[in-house]
Amino acid sequence: MHRILGLELVFVLLWNSGFIGAEYGLPYAGPWTLLFWRYVALALLLGAWLVIRQRMAWPGNRAVSHTALVGILAHGVWLGCVLVALDMGVPAGIVALVTALQPLLTGALAGPVLGEHSDLRQWIGLVLGFAGVVIAVGARLSGDAVTPALGYLIPFGSVVAITIASLMQRHWARAGTAEPQPLDITLFYQSVATALALLPLAWLVEDFATDWTAPFLGTMAWLIIAVSLGAYWSMWRLLGRDEATRVASLFYLSPPVTMVMAWAAFGDGLIATDIVGLVVAGLGVMLVYRVGFRLRGS
């Protein structure tokens, strides 16, 4: 129990506060502009850190291109879809529920795509997880006369993008073409690539329109320091201590934690099908990660 209340709790709270922080920031800037400023600031902060530490280096064209592609998918597209959905009025808890499908989808596709072991239990878990999302999203769609239906579908783009990024990384690792870099250097190049990819969208679609108020600056500081740096730091500390499947299982706490946070911050309410969807998806998670849960409880 003391382990669950330690670094795991820090990661879960910081990671899921990103959904809430994003929703706080959207009244002051459009989704693409908010993300653009966030990654410009993050790149400048990490760049300054690397220069001061005399660790700024060019890892090579292949390493940077791999890192940049993963960064654009795992940061730009993933968060872009999340913010666009939130901006269209989709509840943060529902967005978190959809994006929580990613580890299940990655695990299931690792077999046919990469030739890794993938058994029936993983596929059943994925089906159950998807069924839970369909229950929750379907009920919201039928009962929400304000939010466009497209808004509820956009978060699936996040799932596809980060799944592709994960599978590419695993493919490069298996092929021996991956060149691991320190976390701060990796995140620096990912941030630069993400900012460059977001530049045309923030400029041409939203004209960089930003309300530079104290609440916006505070929100940006939280998203950069607590989420982009704090959550990633705690995640990598966990990956260094635990098996990847145990760490992945923490992402499935996102929907209920985010729903509680959204209720406290914005008064977002739950409906019965939200709970049913959470339970069904949770059964799929427990099925896939039953070994991890059993080991954690031992």
Side-chain angles (χ1 to χ4, degrees), residues 131-150:
V133 170
V134 169
I135 291 170
V137 171
R140 289 282 184 171
L141 272 172
S142 62
D144 190 343
V146 178
T147 304
L150 179 62

Side-chain angles (χ1 to χ4, degrees), residues 97 104 125 128-133 252 276-286:
L97 181 61
L104 283 181
L128 282 174
F130 185 76
V133 170
Y252 293 103
V276 174
L278 281 172
V279 171
V280 173
L283 290 174
V285 173
M286 293 180 67

Side-chain angles (χ1 to χ4, degrees), residues 73 77-78 81-82 98-99 153-163:
L73 289 170
V77 180
W78 190 89
C81 291
V82 166
V98 174
T99 57
L153 299 178
I154 286 176
F156 288 96
S158 298
V159 178
V160 172
I162 199 167
T163 297

Side-chain angles (χ1 to χ4, degrees), residues 10 16 41 47 70 72 90 97 103 116 126 139 144 148 169 186 189 192 200 204 228-229 254 285 289-290:
V10 171
N16 292 295
V70 169
I72 291 170
V90 180
L97 181 61
E116 297 180 2
L126 176 61
D144 190 343
Q169 282 190 309
T186 297
Y189 283 109
V192 171
L204 299 176
S228 291
L229 296 179
S254 287
V285 173
Y289 293 107
R290 63 181 181 181

Side-chain angles (χ1 to χ4, degrees), residues 248-259:
S249 67
L250 294 175
F251 284 94
Y252 293 103
L253 294 174
S254 287
V257 171
T258 302
M259 286 178 181

Side-chain angles (χ1 to χ4, degrees), residues 64-233:
V64 170
S65 62
H66 284 182
T67 299
L69 181 56
V70 169
I72 291 170
L73 289 170
H75 295 278
V77 180
W78 190 89
L79 286 173
C81 291
V82 166
L83 264 69
V84 169
L86 292 173
D87 194 48
M88 295 176 72
V90 180
I94 297 298
V95 175
L97 181 61
V98 174
T99 57
L101 284 174
Q102 181 269 324
L104 283 181
L105 183 60
T106 301
L109 291 181
V113 174
L114 301 177
E116 297 180 2
H117 176 69
S118 180
D119 57 25
L120 181 61
R121 176 168 54 86
Q122 288 178 305
W123 282 103
I124 294 174
L126 176 61
V127 170
L128 282 174
F130 185 76
V133 170
V134 169
I135 291 170
V137 171
R140 289 282 184 171
L141 272 172
S142 62
D144 190 343
V146 178
T147 304
L150 179 62
Y152 286 91
L153 299 178
I154 286 176
F156 288 96
S158 298
V159 178
V160 172
I162 199 167
T163 297
I164 292 173
S166 299
L167 293 174
M168 285 194 307
Q169 282 190 309
R170 287 162 75 162
H171 169 71
W172 291 329
R174 288 169 58 88
T177 58
E179 301 177 26
Q181 302 295 323
L183 177 59
D184 50 2
I185 292 178
T186 297
L187 190 54
F188 168 71
Y189 283 109
Q190 287 182 346
S191 299
V192 171
T194 301
L196 291 174
L198 292 167
L199 174 61
L201 291 169
W203 180 15
L204 299 176
V205 177
E206 299 170 351
D207 198 27
F208 299 118
T210 307
D211 188 3
W212 295 99
T213 60
F216 176 73
L217 293 174
T219 299
M220 288 295 293
W222 180 265
L223 290 173
I224 294 166
I225 304 299
V227 181
S228 291
L229 296 179
Y232 272 86
W233 170 83

